[in-house]
Amino acid sequence: MGQAREVMDQLTEALTTHQDPKTIGNLFAEDAVAHTPDGGEIHGRENIAEYWRQMTDAVPEARFESLSSFEVGDTAIDEGIYSGRNTGPLAFPDGTSLPATQKDITLHGVDFATVKDGQITSYRLYFDQLEFLDQLGLLPEELTQ
């Protein structure tokens, strides 16, 4: 197992099994860039850590089931299922938030982490936003049919 795989596994652990915002932040380089479906392009360790803090606040007992994991050079790739119950406020990129829906979510996703000198420098996350909002009961009825 190489460095990229080790760092990605530490990130998964800090986001789910043993949620730890400080560890999450420390896994990213100061000038890291993350691309997310819901938060867009996020620059800098602190902003990326804040993105993840909002998700761990919204789904505090999240689980991750790995379907496949790879390491290619300096990049780790995970495909899996992120699941849990929305018991905390759901923050949106514009700064607004909604109260918890108390609904269960199950999201299939893929993420890529490029690592240099033990820290993530580039991170890309992919999941279906419409599926996420639908599971939370937040889509207009005309989009759920």
Side-chain angles (χ1 to χ4, degrees):
M1 178 182 341
Q3 185 179 63
R5 180 79 262 146
E6 288 177 16
V7 171
M8 179 73 101
D9 290 346
Q10 290 173 19
L11 178 62
T12 300
E13 180 82 8
L15 290 169
T16 57
T17 309
H18 301 290
Q19 290 185 355
D20 182 357
K22 184 175 180 180
T23 296
I24 294 167
N26 289 337
L27 289 172
F28 287 88
E30 282 287 335
D31 60 350
V33 178
H35 299 270
T36 68
D38 52 342
E41 188 173 292
I42 305 168
H43 293 267
R45 168 190 290 159
E46 290 186 23
N47 293 327
I48 296 168
E50 175 62 15
Y51 168 83
W52 282 118
R53 185 200 57 77
Q54 290 173 1
M55 181 58 93
T56 57
D57 284 355
V59 186
E61 295 180 12
R63 296 169 303 286
F64 182 76
E65 176 189 349
S66 178
L67 299 177
S68 56
S69 62
F70 305 95
E71 183 177 48
V72 180
D74 62 357
T75 301
I77 306 157
D78 280 345
E79 174 189 21
I81 298 172
Y82 178 86
S83 60
R85 180 176 292 251
N86 173 225
T87 59
L90 186 65
F92 293 104
D94 68 359
T96 62
S97 66
L98 290 175
T101 64
Q102 303 303 322
K103 296 191 184 247
D104 292 325
I105 60 158
T106 302
L107 297 173
H108 183 262
V110 176
D111 56 343
F112 299 78
T114 300
V115 174
K116 182 177 180 185
D117 298 327
Q119 292 184 308
I120 300 169
T121 58
S122 174
Y123 181 80
R124 292 164 310 285
L125 172 65
Y126 300 94
F127 66 85
D128 187 332
Q129 290 182 74
L130 287 178
E131 178 183 31
F132 181 49
L133 294 173
D134 186 36
Q135 290 179 25
L136 292 172
L138 299 175
L139 283 182
E141 189 174 313
E142 59 271 9
L143 292 178
T144 62
Q145 299 176 7

